[in-house]
Amino acid sequence: MFKRLSSELTLIYAALFGVVLLLIAGAVWVAVEANSRQAVRAEMTSSSAVFDRIWKLRADQLQQTAEVLARDFGFREAVATGDDETMLSALDNIQSRFSFDTAMIIRPDGSVISLDDELTGPADPTLLAAVTANPDASGVLTLGSTTYQAVSAPVRAPTLIGWVVFGQRLGGEQLGELEQLSAIPLSAHLYLKRAGQQWSALEDRPGSAIGIAGEELAARAIETNGDILINMPERNSIGGVKTLQVFAEGASSAGLLLEYSLTMNQAHYRDMLATIAVIGAIGLAALVLGSWFVSRRVTGPISGLRAAADQLTRGEVAAVAVKGRNEIAELAANFNVMSSEIAAREQRILHLARHDQETGLPNLRALHEALAGLRKIAPPGNIFGAIISINRFDQIRGAIGHGLFSRLIAEIAKRSLNSGEGLHVGRATTGTIAVVFTAQSREAAEATIRATAQAVSRPVTLDGDRVDVMVTAGLACDAEDAKAHLELLERAEVAVEQARAQRKITAWFDPAAYGDPATTLSLMSSMVHGLSSGELFLAHQPKLDLRTEKISSAEALLRWRHPQRGMIRPDAFIGMAEETGHIRPLTDWVIDRAIADQRIFQKAGHDVTLSVNVSGRLIANEQFAERALRQIRRSGARLCFEITETAVIDNPKLALDVMNELKQAGIGISIDDYGSGLSSLSYLRAIPAEELKIDKVFVENLGNGNSDAFLVKSTIDLAHSLGMKLTAEGVETADVLAILRAMGADMIQGYFVAKPLAVNDFLAFMQSPDAKATSAI
Amino acid sequence: MLGRFLTYAATSFLFATQAWAGDIVIRVTTPDGKPLPDAVVLMPAKPGGPKPAPIDGLKMAQAGKQFTPFVLIAPVGSTVEFPNLDKFRHHVYSFSKGNKFELELYGREEKRVITFKTTGVAALGCNIHDQMVAFIRVVDTPWAAKSGDDGVARLTAAPDGSQRIDVWHPYATAKDQTVTQTITVSPGATTVTVVLGIAPPS
Ligand SMILES: [Cu+2]
């Protein structure tokens, strides 16, 4: 409802105060109202008593005067003798002496003698009846249009010979006098009711009319404790009614209404209420100001807290000044503690977000941030990224366990960091670390990474055990055309694979070799197309059996002559086919093709065992194996499956089962590229292979007088001891052939014998003297 | 005194008429049957009829702030003495028409005499003592009598035949304080009861 607590508090206090004030005012008003009526009633009672006295005084004066006159001997004589002149002069005398308004003599015969000509003559029957009934009548008497307070006194001489009647006018003037005699401001009204008529006011004073019909007032009259009261809410007044004695009793009634205006009475109390209102207003103002200040004192620190909390919400460092020792100060202190704890926790979270939990090394995210930092200070051409991958990390990790492996990675990262200036080092994947850095040129960058690779390629001692570490590094430059849509480090990672493929320690990312993933799918689809259209074919490289000096087998190698791109190297699409799942149909096709080619050779009279390269991913694929067996059994072909030593075998146990099944079906198993990996002896023994093909790297070096000779010799011995034949690939010279022959190799393969040959060329080669010549060596 | 008056009445009648007649006994009562004293019963004078002879020495005394008697019958032309038996003074007056007089302050044992010359009622008052009221009925007929404490008045030797009688009392409510009744007088005693409403002044 309120944006500010202080406003709310102020309003609440003000409202409470207002309510209290209203209650006080209401109580005062109620008390005033009651008090006012009480007071008015009391005042009216006393005023009424005063009026009684006045009324009686006047009546007594009239009465005494009338009696004095009525007893005057001379007057009586005049009345008795009918001496009108004397009577009138006596009346005149009395009237002027006492200021009576009217005076008359009524004779028993009903005739009236008066100075007032209107009264002279026959008496009003009511008047005569009144004095007859009561010679000492006294009260309100209306004669004609004038109302009097009148008295009568009998004239006896000694018998009754008449009545003297004196009257004082009753009217506005007299009522006014009465009003002035009262202690309280009253207005007096005379009401009359004559026989057969209704109550009506004697209204002869302008502006003093009550305006309520006499009958209506009479109906409102209530008698309480002997007082007759009339409520006149329309005039905000109350009236006290006094019944007046009438001259002619029974014939008429008269009442005096003393009206008391509550407005005037309440005016005093209004002053009081006004005073209360003024005090209240001042109090309210003081309260509003006071509560405002107080609430400001309270809410000021709260506002500070709120601002600080907002800051905290925005992730800024927030602290509140702690003043005093009250609850809010405590709250502020707590807030500060909380704020700093949040900051610390945030730091921890940030650290966790940027660091590898296992090793505590910066993670890829941190490296990307470092990279972003570098991009601000250096052009893309000077920013480089490298991935340093531990060779055969799976085996190492399996050997030493995860815990030690983490320490190994940490150690390698530490060495990397120390190997050069300005390197940002972090863990990229389980077995790789990443380095981002700036360098003046590609050459400088490569030198840096070479140094790093060298630095880390030293044995690491963990808990007393030495672990030999070999790494492969991939390099990428930030400026390189990112056609591959790969990030810098992703390109570096690809470069690692490329380095491995090239058997190099370091390699730059080769976008051409990587290929454009955008064209990958089209490449695959055109490959599938090429399988049926004849673009893909097998080239067979003859293998020379050194025992028989004959060509009795060949390795079937896949070739793709693309109509636009020309010859496509197997590296460019076989890996891709493995990744995309096309390796299965491709290998199926190769097997079918090899069977078909073998039949061609057979028909030409050449009995040649063909070796087919099978991906490690496929060897454990039962559907593949079933199909291959079915095809081979049906055709009766003699095939050998070459499996690379380092091939990733998805399910080694299943793979061994499959290989055993293949072997029983008469399909030979050959371990390809032996020496490029670190296969354990038990692994070698488990595989039911009949042929071990030593990696050509070792063979090529034999001719250079290198010391790999021992390795080759021991490998040959190893093969023989495991019951396998040893084939040496990459034989290009006669010297090497001679060495190998001397070492006891079983077969050779290489350019020295023949390059891979298409079917027709292979047939031609088998017919040519070369084949025989080779065997002659 | 009553006896004397009656004797006089009878005597005068004796001289005035030739024919003898009977007595009339009039019993005057209030409406509730109580005997009413001080009522004057008279047979109005007839033209050419006998007249009563004036009497001297009638007395209207003042004793104990009262007139005594309350009602006095006086034949026209009679003189009435007003002896004051009280130790203080009185101021006796009458404003009655024809019999107006005033006896100004006079003391004990003083005796004033007034002659009443006009037939009618003279209401007597004292200017000093309001309560003193008395009436003198001045008559011009020989047949007039006042009821006694038993309410009985007697007219003796009244002429025979149908006769009118007036019964008057100062406080009677009837017109002129008089009730008139016609009776048949026969030789011997004729008894009549007359009822008079009375309203003494408050
Ligand atoms: Cu007297």
Side-chain angles (χ1 to χ4, degrees), chain A residues 445-728:
Chain A
E446 192 171 338
T448 302
I449 288 306
R450 278 186 185 285
T452 303
Q454 201 168 5
V456 301
S457 295
R458 283 187 285 117
V460 177
T461 305
L462 294 167
D463 289 349
D465 292 332
R466 262 172 58 113
V467 179
D468 288 318
V469 177
M470 297 289 283
V471 298
T472 306
L475 255 173
C477 178
D478 207 23
E480 273 165 342
D481 176 27
K483 220 178 177 181
H485 301 296
L486 295 179
E487 288 289 335
L488 179 64
L489 288 175
E490 288 173 327
R491 293 201 298 273
E493 201 163 355
V494 170
V496 170
E497 296 304 320
Q498 290 172 340
R500 286 220 172 100
Q502 297 162 37
R503 304 191 198 292
K504 287 179 173 173
I505 291 175
T506 62
W508 285 95
F509 171 69
D510 182 357
Y514 178 71
D516 187 349
T519 63
T520 296
L521 286 176
S522 65
L523 186 70
M524 284 298 106
S525 70
S526 59
M527 181 189 82
V528 171
H529 174 72
L531 288 177
S532 56
S533 69
E535 288 174 25
L536 277 95
F537 60 95
L538 294 179
H540 306 280
Q541 188 167 35
K543 289 156 83 174
L544 178 65
D545 189 333
L546 295 180
R547 307 275 174 244
T548 62
E549 300 297 338
K550 283 181 178 169
I551 306 294
S552 58
S553 59
E555 181 178 1
L557 296 166
L558 192 59
R559 291 291 181 266
W560 184 4
R561 184 180 287 114
H562 194 277
Q564 281 86 41
R565 294 167 69 171
M567 288 300 291
I568 299 176
R569 292 191 302 123
D571 294 356
F573 64 96
I574 287 177
M576 201 180 294
E578 277 187 330
E579 295 297 322
T580 57
H582 286 87
I583 191 66
R584 167 82 200 279
L586 187 63
T587 309
D588 286 348
W589 180 88
V590 168
I591 289 170
D592 291 354
R593 189 70 248 166
I595 291 171
D597 286 357
Q598 189 176 48
R599 186 161 296 164
I600 294 170
F601 299 152
Q602 219 164 17
K603 282 180 179 169
H606 306 293
D607 206 358
V608 181
T609 301
L610 288 181
S611 293
V612 175
N613 287 286
V614 176
S615 165
R617 298 198 176 178
L618 273 180
I619 198 66
N621 186 319
E622 284 177 296
Q623 286 83 25
F624 164 76
E626 275 171 27
R627 184 187 181 278
L629 279 172
R630 201 167 56 241
Q631 293 295 91
I632 293 164
R633 280 185 184 131
R634 187 188 298 164
S635 62
R638 285 182 293 110
L639 295 186
C640 176
F641 285 3
E642 288 192 10
I643 298 161
T644 306
E645 183 209 350
T646 56
V648 178
I649 294 176
D650 288 340
N651 189 338
K653 189 169 182 315
L654 184 61
L656 284 177
D657 290 347
V658 170
M659 282 191 272
N660 280 317
E661 205 178 340
L662 291 172
K663 187 184 177 187
Q664 279 168 16
I667 297 166
I669 303 292
S670 171
I671 296 172
D672 202 6
D673 296 338
Y674 182 76
S676 60
L678 284 168
S679 305
S680 65
L681 203 56
S682 61
Y683 173 72
L684 276 180
R685 283 185 60 167
I687 294 176
E690 62 184 25
E691 181 186 38
L692 190 67
K693 292 180 85 172
I694 189 165
D695 197 292
K696 60 184 173 189
V697 173
F698 301 104
V699 176
E700 283 163 359
N701 290 339
L702 280 177
N704 306 343
N706 231 322
S707 59
D708 283 342
F710 173 72
L711 263 177
V712 175
K713 172 70 174 114
S714 60
T715 301
I716 291 168
D717 291 345
L718 175 69
H720 289 161
S721 65
L722 288 172
M724 301 179 199
K725 289 181 178 173
L726 186 121
T727 302

Side-chain angles (χ1 to χ4, degrees), chain A residues 242-266:
Chain A
K242 177 143 207 71
T243 307
L244 294 177
Q245 193 187 350
V246 289
F247 190 88
E249 267 181 78
S252 63
S253 304
L256 181 72
L257 174 67
L258 295 174
E259 185 193 13
Y260 184 80
S261 169
L262 293 173
T263 309
M264 294 172 73
N265 185 274
Q266 284 155 356

Side-chain angles (χ1 to χ4, degrees), chain A residues 73 76-77 80-81 157-159, chain B residues 93 95 100 102 124 127 130 135:
Chain A
F73 188 73
R76 282 194 288 183
E77 184 177 4
T81 57
T159 53
Chain B
Y93 66 89
F95 299 135
K100 186 174 178 291
E102 187 178 351
L124 305 182
N127 198 26
D130 282 349
F135 298 90

Side-chain angles (χ1 to χ4, degrees), chain A residues 67 71-82 133-136 154 156-161, chain B residues 91-96 100-102 123-128 130 132-135 170-171 201-202:
Chain A
E67 278 178 15
R71 289 183 185 193
D72 183 79
F73 188 73
F75 180 74
R76 282 194 288 183
E77 184 177 4
V79 174
T81 57
N134 179 15
D136 296 308
R156 297 177 203 275
T159 53
L160 187 70
I161 53 170
Chain B
H91 178 177
V92 179
Y93 66 89
S94 166
F95 299 135
S96 300
K100 186 174 178 291
F101 72 90
E102 187 178 351
L124 305 182
C126 174
N127 198 26
I128 297 167
D130 282 349
M132 290 173 68
V133 177
F135 298 90
Y171 299 146
S202 54

Side-chain angles (χ1 to χ4, degrees), chain B residues 63-143:
Chain B
K65 295 186 193 169
Q66 291 293 342
F67 286 110
T68 304
F70 175 54
V71 172
L72 178 67
I73 297 172
V76 68
S78 298
T79 57
V80 178
E81 291 176 10
F82 287 85
N84 182 1
L85 306 180
D86 285 327
K87 289 174 184 172
F88 41 81
R89 295 184 175 192
H90 293 288
H91 178 177
V92 179
Y93 66 89
S94 166
F95 299 135
S96 300
K97 209 172 179 182
N99 293 313
K100 186 174 178 291
F101 72 90
E102 187 178 351
L103 297 174
E104 295 202 10
L105 294 170
Y106 62 100
R108 179 181 166 79
E109 297 300 329
E110 275 187 82
K111 209 190 293 180
R112 305 286 177 92
V113 178
I114 299 292
T115 301
F116 292 85
K117 295 166 181 142
T118 309
T119 305
V121 176
L124 305 182
C126 174
N127 198 26
I128 297 167
H129 308 104
D130 282 349
Q131 75 275 30
M132 290 173 68
V133 177
F135 298 90
I136 294 174
R137 182 69 200 254
V138 182
V139 298
D140 57 353
T141 175
W143 294 282

